Structure formats: structure tokens, C-alpha cells
Amino acid sequence: MNLIIFSGPPSSGKTSIILKVIASYNRRNIKVGVVKFDCLYTDDDAAYEKAGIPVKKGLSGALCPDHFFASNIEEVVSWGNQENLDLLITESAGLCNRCSPYLKDIKGVCVIDNLSGINTPKKIGPMLKSADFVVITKGDIVSQAEREVFASCVSSVNPRAITMHVNGLTGQGAYELGSLLYDEDQDIKSVQGMKLRFPMPAALCSYCLGETRIGEAYQMGNIKKMDLGADKK
Amino acid sequence: MTNWTLLQILEKYPFALAYFEQNKLDIAGYEDRTLEEYLDHFSELELEDQALDKEKILSDFPVYIEQMQSFLGVEEKNQVLSLTILAGHDKSGVTEGFEELTILTSQIISIVGPTGSGKSRLLADIEWAAQNDTPTGRSIHINGEVPDNKWRFSSNNRLVAQLSQNMNFVMDLTVQEFLNMHAVSRLVENPQSIINEIIKAANNLAGEKFDLTTPVTSLSGGQSRALMIADTAILSSSPIVLIDEIENAGIDRKKALELLVSSDKIVLMATHDPLLALIADKRIIIKNGGISKVIHTSDEEKELLVELEKMDSLIQHARQELRKGSHLSSEILA
Ligand SMILES: Nc1nc2c(ncn2[C@@H]2O[C@H](COP(=O)(O)OP(=O)(O)OP(=O)(O)O)[C@@H](O)[C@H]2O)c(=O)[nH]1
Ligand SMILES: [Mg+2]
Ligand SMILES: [Zn+2]
Ligand SMILES: [Zn+2]
């Protein structure tokens, strides 16, 4: 089974792109399944189901969705193998700009959109910087100049990635992306022992554990304070 | 380069500054160190805090420099002079109704066919420089040859620039700031002279004039289109421009096409407006996912175009008179 990990900011076009890529495999008889990771809510599963694609979803609730991903991907991969999939795609809502779900040796795709502003590549960290493929969407609604500037910001934070422009509505570019993603020879039986590409932060503070009271007395663990500057009046 | 100081790097490759900036590497005070020495000054905690990957930065940086250099060199070395489309088949597997179509720079080809008939697919084939490896089985040649793979994979060298009616400026910048940002990302040596050239060209196309201090988001539809076209003609790195309909309002469309053509672009224009479609030398008819025909614009059609343009200018004139508050009479037909 092939495994491909998609990630990207909310509403950047991940589901649209994945659906178009899967549609491009139609003639090749590749059986694809999707697992969606999100935080509080998603109806992406309905969109995949409607397209006849086997789908599972996991909501991380109070946890960082990428931590949740790391603790569940092993079981998700065995689900994919049980279903006899040729290709398992995971879609993660990149809600935590500090973490990223990519694994070493597994293709990682980051989907970002032209509307999100040129500072986005600076902001989103490892989710963009350590991806193998960067897919830029919504090029149909911004100017050529903005597309070019955005793409150059992306390539300066991740010059090694293959950057592609794909339209999530018309599917323009999805076939091409699909042809780069699927690898006949890859056969992932398990991800046990594989490594995350980028370590997740060590943060674990009393608020992670359910503390609700504000005040220094209640703060434990990994606590970081803002520098508000002593001389500011 | 690994043992150069940051200052030496910046002197040789001024654009490296963008790399440091985008990666939030504040090198001030470390100019006399190498990149590695600079990175070594971060503590483990700082590295984790800022999500910095030292190894990756060290290995990415030369890749970035190489990409930007080839981007700089690309204009002289790899000029696109012609685009050739070699026929494939439509959705039902029927061979397309032409064998090969070569389009030279400064030529305009129009594309007609209902929505969903395969225009996006054609565009994608060109953009990807298809080699019988897409659903249509088409192949694309550039300058008569199988093109370099860089057209597929480099984010800075795209074959196709697109302009459509749905496009808007989303950045909150003035025209000056906007054009400057684009010019800087294209590594232009003298941004201000290019900016002046673009605003002049844009005003030459736009019905109502605007200047460099206007915020791009407050431009009218016609002004936006004019600025996008002038910017694409003068500053875009892509040799092929696809235009998806331009409304006939607030912009001189004929001049817009002339500008693109005079900038040595290959122009593909999806339109159902006879005033535009007949300007092209040829038009591609798309049906069922394939090119069913390539029609040469006949002399009769060119003559008809002249008549249609007269009719159009009458209607434009009537519209202006109405706007002014005049009474209209059949005299305008004279
Ligand atoms: N104009 C335009 N809209 C797009 C494009 N790609 C996606 N969209 C739209 O953007 C919206 C969000 O797309 P989704 O595919 O649901 O995005 P997502 O990243 O899966 O969103 P979440 O899973 O909720 O984080 C939808 O309304 C899409 O139709 C594109 O290329 N152009
Ligand atoms: Mg989604
Ligand atoms: Zn996180
Ligand atoms: Zn916490």
C-alpha cells in the first residue's frame, strides 16, 4: 500500500485536491481510502463518502491534532491494509503551525492557497518547510503577480519541494500531481518505528492537563513568559 | 560557499536576503560569520522555540541560491519562440481534428467551446508540457523540441500566466508597493523604471486613469484588468499568457492584446466574443475534451470584424451619451 500524508491550513483546498487526484486514478484501477484528522469538527468524511471513497475520521478534541495523528497513524495504516487499499491518503487540518504530521520516507504534501497572504509561508513552519510537495490552490481568483510572488515566498522557505499550482475546482494540475504521488513499487505494511520529520514541541504545561485557573501559582511544567519589556511605559 | 561569511554571500548574491528574511533568520551582527557559525549561535531551546532545522537550512540554502541563479539566467538562455501542440484524442478516444499546431510569439490564438469541454485540460497539458502522459495523449514542444523538465518542476519558471475575469487583487497595498513587490521577487535590477513603465502602459489601457498611490483593492474592474495585463506583459516570467474572457468595459481590449503581443508573449484567449475571437489568426474549437478543429480566421471574417467593431463603437457611444444624461436619437447611427 502507498501512504501519502496531506496537510495544510484550514480551508486551503486539501479535500478538493485529494478528490481531484483520486478522480485522476479512475482509469488506473487504484483503490484509494482516506482518513481525515481534525480538531473539533469535520464533514469532509461526507464529501469522500459521496465520491464512493472508504473514509474514517478522527477528532483530536482537546489535543494538538498533529500529536493525535502521531499516536494514531499506526492503527490507521493497519486499517488501510485491512481494507486492501492500494493507496491510503491522510488529510490533516494544519491547525498547529508549530507541528507537522509528516513522516520520514513517506511523501508529505502541503496544500496552501494564494488567498492566505504572502506572510503565510513565513508563519506556518515545518508543515510547509518539510513537505516534499507544495500544492498552491485558488490561483484562479488572484492576480498573476500575486501568484508569482506567493510561489517565490514558498520556494524560499522550501526550495527542495516540488511546487505545483493545482486548481481545486477545475482540477487543472491534479492529474499531474497524481502522477507524481503514486508509486507502483511502494508497499507500506506498517509505519511502526518510522520517525516524524520534525520533532513536536516539548510543551506540556498545567493547562494541557486541565488547569483552568489563571495565575503563577497554578502554572507548572513547561512555562514560557512573554517579554513585555521593563522600560515600556 | 560554505566557508564564506554572510557578508560575502550577500555581496555575491543580494537576493539571499530574501531567504534569510522568509526563514526569519535575523543575521544582523553576524555578517562576518559563516552561515553555519551563525546557526551555531542558537541554543537548543531557541532552535526548538523557533522550529529551526539547522541541517535543513544548511542543505537548502545552496539549492535556493542555485534556483535563483538559474532563474536570473533563464531569460537570456531559454527564450521561448514557439509552442507546438501535437494532437492526442478526445474523451471518447477519437483522434483530434488536427495534427499539429505551432504558435509563435506575438501570435494570438482563440479558444472556443462550452464550459467543461476541456479548456482546463488543454491549459494543464501546456503548463505541464505534456509528453503523451496525460489523459488526452497530447504532446507539447517548445521551440520545436521536447522541453526541459524545469518547466514542470520549478516554481519560478512557469510556462503559462493566466488572466481571468474572476481574478482580484487580494493584497492590501498601493499600486507602487504592489508592483515593487512583484519586481523584487523577479529580481529586477531597477524596479522603479519598470514600475513607471507598467503604470504608463496600464493607464494607456484603462478607461479611467489611476496612479501609483491608489490602493490596488480600490481599482475599478477595468483598471484592475488593465494593471494585471500591463504587469503580466512587462513583468511576468511566463512566455505564454492565457486570457479567459475580458469584459468589454473600462478597458481597451485591442490595445491590451497589442501590449501582450509586443512583449513577445504567445497569447491564448478563451472567448465567445466575436470582437476578440476574430482578432486571432486561428481559433481552436474544443469539444468533448478534444480539439475538434483549428480554424484559420478567413478574410471574410476579418472584414466582418471591421463591421462588428463599428457596431460595437456605436453601442459604446450610446452608452456614454446615456451616462452623460443626453437624449439619444437615431442620429448616432449616421
Ligand atoms: N476558487 C477556488 N476555490 C477553491 C479551490 N480549491 C478549493 N476551493 C474552495 O475552497 C473551499 C475549501 O476547500 P476544501 O477542499 O474543503 O478545503 P480543506 O483544506 O479540505 O478544508 P478543511 O478540511 O476544512 O481544513 C471550498 O469551498 C472549495 O470549493 C481553487 O483552486 N479555487
Ligand atoms: Mg478538508
Ligand atoms: Zn502542535
Ligand atoms: Zn499546555
Side-chain angles (χ1 to χ4, degrees), chain B residues 8-77:
Chain B
Q8 285 169 324
I9 293 177
L10 284 173
E11 272 168 6
K12 183 97 199 277
Y13 308 114
F15 51 78
L17 201 60
Y19 182 87
F20 298 133
E21 202 188 288
Q22 286 294 329
N23 287 284
K24 291 175 293 184
L25 300 171
D26 179 8
I27 56 167
Y30 293 88
E31 289 85 351
D32 58 342
R33 313 284 185 86
T34 66
L35 182 59
E36 188 165 6
E37 285 164 357
Y38 164 72
L39 292 172
D40 281 339
H41 97 277
F42 288 110
S43 68
E44 279 303 315
L45 192 69
E46 284 170 321
L47 289 175
E48 191 194 314
D49 211 45
Q50 297 168 37
L52 293 174
D53 184 339
K54 225 158 67 177
E55 313 282 288
K56 184 158 162 59
I57 292 174
L58 283 172
S59 84
D60 276 1
F61 184 63
V63 177
Y64 173 79
I65 296 288
E66 200 184 303
Q67 280 177 4
M68 294 310 271
Q69 267 191 302
S70 69
F71 180 45
L72 274 173
V74 84
E75 255 121 303
E76 304 96 61
K77 268 194 317 216

Side-chain angles (χ1 to χ4, degrees), chain B residues 5-237:
Chain B
T5 66
L6 294 172
L7 191 65
Q8 285 169 324
I9 293 177
L10 284 173
E11 272 168 6
K12 183 97 199 277
Y13 308 114
F15 51 78
L17 201 60
Y19 182 87
F20 298 133
E21 202 188 288
Q22 286 294 329
N23 287 284
K24 291 175 293 184
L25 300 171
D26 179 8
I27 56 167
Y30 293 88
E31 289 85 351
D32 58 342
R33 313 284 185 86
T34 66
L35 182 59
E36 188 165 6
E37 285 164 357
Y38 164 72
L39 292 172
D40 281 339
H41 97 277
F42 288 110
S43 68
E44 279 303 315
L45 192 69
E46 284 170 321
L47 289 175
E48 191 194 314
D49 211 45
Q50 297 168 37
L52 293 174
D53 184 339
K54 225 158 67 177
E55 313 282 288
K56 184 158 162 59
I57 292 174
L58 283 172
S59 84
D60 276 1
F61 184 63
V63 177
Y64 173 79
I65 296 288
E66 200 184 303
Q67 280 177 4
M68 294 310 271
Q69 267 191 302
S70 69
F71 180 45
L72 274 173
V74 84
E75 255 121 303
E76 304 96 61
K77 268 194 317 216
N78 302 330
Q79 255 213 355
V80 171
L81 301 171
S82 73
L83 161 74
T84 305
I85 306 170
L86 303 173
H89 49 76
D90 71 9
K91 275 185 198 150
S92 327
V94 178
T95 309
E96 292 183 295
F98 75 111
E99 269 169 30
E100 63 172 74
L101 171 64
T102 295
I103 312 168
L104 307 175
T105 47
S106 303
Q107 272 191 334
I108 304 174
I109 301 292
S110 54
I111 304 174
V112 298
T115 351
S117 60
K119 277 185 278 188
S120 298
R121 187 61 256 161
L122 175 62
L123 251 284
D125 282 350
I126 297 174
E127 195 156 41
W128 185 241
Q131 296 306 317
N132 195 5
D133 59 355
T134 66
T136 60
R138 289 186 193 120
S139 296
I140 300 297
H141 287 177
I142 299 291
N143 301 339
E145 291 170 8
V146 174
D148 195 303
N149 248 351
K150 71 151 193 279
W151 294 113
R152 288 191 169 184
F153 298 125
S154 150
S155 62
N156 291 321
N157 297 311
R158 312 297 308 180
L159 266 176
V160 185
Q162 292 193 46
L163 280 163
S164 90
Q165 207 53 44
N166 300 332
M167 287 173 185
N168 282 302
F169 294 113
V170 292
M171 288 175 191
D172 190 10
L173 297 173
T174 64
V175 174
Q176 163 75 32
E177 291 163 339
F178 182 83
L179 293 176
N180 188 57
M181 185 186 67
H182 191 195
V184 168
S185 90
R186 294 273 292 101
L187 309 179
V188 168
E189 265 177 31
N190 185 352
Q192 197 57 45
S193 76
I194 289 265
I195 292 170
N196 295 340
E197 194 185 331
I198 295 173
I199 183 89
K200 197 171 147 216
N203 272 317
N204 188 32
L205 307 180
E208 288 161 86
K209 310 283 169 235
F210 58 99
D211 61 41
L212 288 172
T213 61
T214 316
V216 287
T217 46
S218 64
L219 297 173
S220 71
Q223 289 171 330
S224 296
R225 227 52 66 205
L227 182 59
M228 282 183 200
I229 290 171
D231 169 80
T232 301
I234 296 168
L235 204 47
S236 169
S237 56

